[in-house]
Amino acid sequence: MENKFKEGEVVRAKVNPNQNLIVRRYLDRIYYCKIQEDPGHNDLVYFERELLPLEIKDIGLLTSLNVIIHK
């Protein structure tokens, strides 16, 4: 099975679409990502279904939903 995102690609997590992540590694269907603004932070781990490509057109909608959900 081919992974959707390649190492080094910038993505966003559905739970926090305001934060850019860099795919560091893909292993056993799990993506290991670094925060783009804070590369010294520990890896964040996601399944493919939890990630969004950077060019998504509805990022405003997702951001507003994220704000509503976390209030």
Side-chain angles (χ1 to χ4, degrees), residues 1-7 23 25-26 31 48:
M1 186 157 107
E2 185 81 17
N3 53 324
K4 184 175 179 180
F5 305 107
K6 306 294 181 207
E7 290 181 11
V23 176
R25 189 171 187 194
Y26 177 76
Y31 288 89
E48 187 171 275

Side-chain angles (χ1 to χ4, degrees), residues 18-52:
N18 296 321
Q19 185 175 64
N20 289 345
L21 304 170
I22 299 173
V23 176
R24 188 181 67 78
R25 189 171 187 194
Y26 177 76
L27 183 64
D28 295 329
R29 297 182 3 198
I30 297 173
Y31 288 89
Y32 296 85
C33 301
K34 288 284 188 189
I35 300 171
Q36 188 176 32
E37 293 80 22
D38 185 12
H41 192 276
N42 289 340
D43 282 355
L44 301 175
V45 181
Y46 297 98
F47 289 109
E48 187 171 275
R49 66 181 174 267
E50 300 173 303
L51 295 174
L52 300 167

